[in-house]
Amino acid sequence: MSIQFGPEYVRAIAPYQGGKPIAEVAREFGLDEAKIIKLASNENPLGMPESARVAMQAAVADIGRYPDANGFDLKAAIMAKYDVPADWITLGNGSNDILELATHAFVQPGQAAMYSEFSFVVYGLATQAAGARAIVVPSKDFGHDLPAMAAAITEDTRLIFIANPNNPTGTFLPSADIAAFLQRVPPNVVVVLDEAYNEYLPPELQFDAIAWVRQYPNLLVSRTMSKAYGLAGLRIGFGIAQPAVTDLLNRIRQPFNVNSLAQAAAIAALNDKPFLQRSAQVNTEGYAQLTEAFEALKLTYVPSFGNFVMVKVGDDDGAGARVNLALLKQGIIVRPVGNYGLPQWLRVTIGLPHENAAFISALKALLG
Ligand SMILES: *Cc1c(COP(=O)(O)O)cnc(C)c1O
């Protein structure tokens, strides 16, 4: 018998399955990399902002040195944008880092973390890695059922994750629902409000989650530079919470968890309003393009508030995997969501018009 290393709860973790990299699909299916279309990881189809490229190129000169461990300049940019003090900010190697730091800081084996069914897969992974128990609350209409989540809080619950908009379903919780929920959460339970797709919300749906951070010492708002800001490859995100929470996150993070190129690029991107506007515009138009096609094909989709749409591609539990494979063979990478318990659905990231069109025409040939 071979030796088994590590605790049982680590061995039980199923590794994260990301969107397939373009190079891997090219190798596997014998395709030309240049012709492959990737709509699988909710990346910005415009790529990185030019302002960030310039800032990063300037920062390359200093790459022989360690980054600023406290991210002074980047925190200054976040302070200016969100009107919070420096000791309310935690920088992360992607916002994924923030989610993991929160889990390790606030939950220990024997305690519980809570999240919704059909919510971001990393919540479950982080909970397992901490050896904690997961309380998974059944979803309502593909989104969070906040009253049910409040009712499911136990003595040993220490952390609750909420994604708004949610990934992979794209659902959105109005501010009144979240406000009512926060009132019901005991003060010793930390709530992570993960707003990875906030920048894609139309202005009338945007709300000031930082105002709740001022009100609730147990609220941590998480933001990423990977989606609308177009910096996924650099790995940069941040959390905003009052000092009691922020201090603990900063104690357990790696001292240099955010590299210097990411810090420089993030400052430029945070201040690049035209790029953000263009990204939102491309997204709005692409959403219309995709959903009109789904309607023409009589396919069910979940109305989305992010930069992706979940569409039902068949009635049998093999449908998602089958259509996904057929698309891969044509060089179109989308995301099957069987691992979320949604085997009849695919999640497609909103791309540039020609990318959306290629996906639509392949889908039409397969299902039309
Ligand atoms: C993409 C995503 C993130 C994290 O992205 P990072 O690249 O790690 O910043 C966090 N939460 C949700 C819901 C996401 O979809």
Short mmCIF file of all heavy atoms in Angstrom, two decimals, residues 4 20 31 41 44 47 53 58 64 78 86 96 99 102 140 178 191-192 196 285 293 296 298 309-310 344 346:
data_model
loop_
_atom_site.label_atom_id
_atom_site.label_comp_id
_atom_site.label_asym_id
_atom_site.label_seq_id
_atom_site.Cartn_x
_atom_site.Cartn_y
_atom_site.Cartn_z
N GLN A 4 -0.16 7.61 2.07
CA GLN A 4 -1.03 8.74 1.73
C GLN A 4 -0.58 9.95 2.52
O GLN A 4 -0.45 9.90 3.74
CB GLN A 4 -2.48 8.39 2.09
CG GLN A 4 -3.03 7.35 1.14
CD GLN A 4 -4.55 7.36 1.15
OE1 GLN A 4 -5.16 7.27 2.19
NE2 GLN A 4 -5.13 7.49 -0.01
N LYS A 20 -10.10 25.91 -20.94
CA LYS A 20 -8.93 25.32 -21.59
C LYS A 20 -8.10 26.40 -22.26
O LYS A 20 -8.63 27.22 -23.00
CB LYS A 20 -9.38 24.32 -22.67
CG LYS A 20 -9.61 22.92 -22.18
CD LYS A 20 -10.11 22.06 -23.34
CE LYS A 20 -10.33 20.62 -22.97
NZ LYS A 20 -9.10 19.87 -22.71
N LEU A 31 -5.38 22.03 -34.31
CA LEU A 31 -5.92 23.27 -34.90
C LEU A 31 -4.86 24.37 -34.91
O LEU A 31 -3.87 24.31 -34.19
CB LEU A 31 -7.14 23.73 -34.11
CG LEU A 31 -8.33 22.77 -34.04
CD1 LEU A 31 -9.31 23.21 -32.96
CD2 LEU A 31 -9.02 22.68 -35.39
N SER A 41 -13.36 31.97 -20.11
CA SER A 41 -12.88 32.36 -18.77
C SER A 41 -13.28 33.78 -18.37
O SER A 41 -12.68 34.35 -17.46
CB SER A 41 -11.36 32.20 -18.69
OG SER A 41 -11.01 30.86 -18.93
N ASN A 44 -11.68 39.85 -20.65
CA ASN A 44 -12.11 40.99 -21.46
C ASN A 44 -11.67 40.76 -22.90
O ASN A 44 -10.47 40.60 -23.16
CB ASN A 44 -11.49 42.27 -20.91
CG ASN A 44 -12.10 43.51 -21.52
OD1 ASN A 44 -12.45 43.52 -22.71
ND2 ASN A 44 -12.22 44.57 -20.73
N GLY A 47 -8.81 42.66 -24.41
CA GLY A 47 -7.46 42.50 -23.90
C GLY A 47 -7.16 43.53 -22.85
O GLY A 47 -8.07 44.06 -22.20
N ARG A 53 -0.54 48.77 -20.33
CA ARG A 53 0.65 48.27 -21.03
C ARG A 53 1.81 49.25 -20.88
O ARG A 53 2.94 48.87 -20.55
CB ARG A 53 0.34 48.05 -22.52
CG ARG A 53 1.49 47.43 -23.30
CD ARG A 53 1.27 47.55 -24.80
NE ARG A 53 0.02 46.93 -25.21
CZ ARG A 53 -0.11 45.62 -25.46
NH1 ARG A 53 0.93 44.82 -25.37
NH2 ARG A 53 -1.28 45.13 -25.83
N ALA A 58 7.03 50.59 -18.24
CA ALA A 58 7.90 51.46 -17.44
C ALA A 58 8.37 50.73 -16.19
O ALA A 58 9.51 50.88 -15.74
CB ALA A 58 7.16 52.75 -17.07
N GLY A 64 14.14 43.73 -11.18
CA GLY A 64 15.16 43.05 -10.35
C GLY A 64 14.91 43.23 -8.87
O GLY A 64 15.50 42.52 -8.04
N ILE A 78 -6.68 53.13 -5.01
CA ILE A 78 -7.93 52.52 -4.51
C ILE A 78 -8.60 53.44 -3.48
O ILE A 78 -9.82 53.63 -3.49
CB ILE A 78 -7.65 51.12 -3.91
CG1 ILE A 78 -7.15 50.18 -5.00
CG2 ILE A 78 -8.91 50.55 -3.24
CD1 ILE A 78 -6.56 48.87 -4.49
N ALA A 86 -6.14 53.48 3.94
CA ALA A 86 -5.23 52.41 3.50
C ALA A 86 -5.42 51.14 4.32
O ALA A 86 -5.30 50.03 3.79
CB ALA A 86 -3.78 52.89 3.60
N ASN A 96 -9.07 35.86 -6.18
CA ASN A 96 -9.03 34.50 -5.66
C ASN A 96 -8.21 34.42 -4.37
O ASN A 96 -8.56 33.72 -3.42
CB ASN A 96 -8.37 33.62 -6.73
CG ASN A 96 -8.78 32.19 -6.61
OD1 ASN A 96 -8.73 31.61 -5.53
ND2 ASN A 96 -9.21 31.59 -7.69
N LEU A 99 -10.24 35.61 -1.50
CA LEU A 99 -11.22 34.60 -1.06
C LEU A 99 -10.54 33.55 -0.19
O LEU A 99 -11.08 33.12 0.83
CB LEU A 99 -11.88 33.94 -2.28
CG LEU A 99 -12.54 34.87 -3.30
CD1 LEU A 99 -13.05 34.08 -4.50
CD2 LEU A 99 -13.67 35.67 -2.65
N ALA A 102 -9.42 35.00 3.23
CA ALA A 102 -10.56 35.14 4.14
C ALA A 102 -10.92 33.78 4.74
O ALA A 102 -11.19 33.68 5.94
CB ALA A 102 -11.76 35.71 3.39
N LYS A 140 -32.14 29.62 -5.80
CA LYS A 140 -33.50 29.95 -6.23
C LYS A 140 -33.39 30.65 -7.58
O LYS A 140 -32.68 31.66 -7.70
CB LYS A 140 -34.13 30.87 -5.19
CG LYS A 140 -35.60 31.12 -5.42
CD LYS A 140 -36.14 31.98 -4.28
CE LYS A 140 -37.43 32.65 -4.68
NZ LYS A 140 -37.70 33.81 -3.84
N ILE A 178 -29.65 42.52 -0.37
CA ILE A 178 -28.39 42.35 0.36
C ILE A 178 -28.44 43.10 1.68
O ILE A 178 -28.00 42.60 2.72
CB ILE A 178 -27.21 42.80 -0.52
CG1 ILE A 178 -27.11 41.89 -1.75
CG2 ILE A 178 -25.90 42.76 0.27
CD1 ILE A 178 -26.02 42.28 -2.71
N VAL A 191 -18.97 38.18 6.10
CA VAL A 191 -19.62 38.04 4.79
C VAL A 191 -18.66 38.56 3.73
O VAL A 191 -18.19 39.71 3.81
CB VAL A 191 -20.93 38.85 4.73
CG1 VAL A 191 -21.55 38.77 3.32
CG2 VAL A 191 -21.93 38.34 5.77
N VAL A 192 -18.36 37.73 2.74
CA VAL A 192 -17.56 38.17 1.59
C VAL A 192 -18.53 38.48 0.46
O VAL A 192 -19.24 37.59 -0.02
CB VAL A 192 -16.56 37.09 1.13
CG1 VAL A 192 -15.83 37.54 -0.12
CG2 VAL A 192 -15.58 36.75 2.23
N ALA A 196 -16.95 40.61 -8.54
CA ALA A 196 -16.01 40.47 -9.66
C ALA A 196 -16.53 41.10 -10.96
O ALA A 196 -15.75 41.50 -11.81
CB ALA A 196 -15.67 39.01 -9.88
N GLU A 285 -23.44 45.15 -26.23
CA GLU A 285 -23.76 44.78 -27.61
C GLU A 285 -23.63 43.28 -27.84
O GLU A 285 -24.46 42.67 -28.51
CB GLU A 285 -22.86 45.56 -28.57
CG GLU A 285 -23.23 47.05 -28.61
CD GLU A 285 -22.16 47.92 -29.28
OE1 GLU A 285 -21.23 47.37 -29.91
OE2 GLU A 285 -22.27 49.16 -29.14
N ALA A 293 -29.68 35.54 -30.74
CA ALA A 293 -29.46 34.26 -31.42
C ALA A 293 -30.06 33.11 -30.63
O ALA A 293 -30.66 32.21 -31.21
CB ALA A 293 -27.96 34.04 -31.63
N ALA A 296 -33.70 33.11 -31.28
CA ALA A 296 -34.01 32.61 -32.62
C ALA A 296 -33.89 31.09 -32.67
O ALA A 296 -34.63 30.42 -33.37
CB ALA A 296 -33.08 33.26 -33.64
N LYS A 298 -34.50 29.19 -30.20
CA LYS A 298 -35.40 28.69 -29.14
C LYS A 298 -34.62 28.01 -28.02
O LYS A 298 -35.04 26.96 -27.48
CB LYS A 298 -36.44 27.74 -29.74
CG LYS A 298 -37.26 28.34 -30.90
CD LYS A 298 -38.72 28.05 -30.73
CE LYS A 298 -39.67 28.84 -31.60
NZ LYS A 298 -39.15 29.80 -32.56
N VAL A 309 -22.93 34.42 -20.54
CA VAL A 309 -24.32 33.98 -20.49
C VAL A 309 -24.34 32.46 -20.39
O VAL A 309 -23.56 31.78 -21.05
CB VAL A 309 -25.12 34.36 -21.77
CG1 VAL A 309 -26.62 34.19 -21.52
CG2 VAL A 309 -24.83 35.76 -22.23
N MET A 310 -25.24 31.95 -19.58
CA MET A 310 -25.41 30.51 -19.47
C MET A 310 -26.60 30.09 -20.32
O MET A 310 -27.70 30.63 -20.17
CB MET A 310 -25.63 30.14 -18.01
CG MET A 310 -25.03 28.81 -17.64
SD MET A 310 -25.09 28.50 -15.87
CE MET A 310 -26.85 28.26 -15.62
N GLN A 344 -26.63 20.35 -18.41
CA GLN A 344 -27.33 20.63 -19.67
C GLN A 344 -26.98 22.01 -20.22
O GLN A 344 -27.52 22.41 -21.25
CB GLN A 344 -28.84 20.53 -19.44
CG GLN A 344 -29.25 19.18 -18.87
CD GLN A 344 -30.69 19.14 -18.41
OE1 GLN A 344 -31.34 20.18 -18.28
NE2 GLN A 344 -31.20 17.96 -18.15
N LEU A 346 -24.14 25.42 -20.98
CA LEU A 346 -22.80 25.91 -21.25
C LEU A 346 -22.75 27.38 -20.82
O LEU A 346 -23.73 28.09 -20.95
CB LEU A 346 -22.46 25.82 -22.74
CG LEU A 346 -22.29 24.42 -23.34
CD1 LEU A 346 -22.06 24.54 -24.85
CD2 LEU A 346 -21.15 23.67 -22.68
#
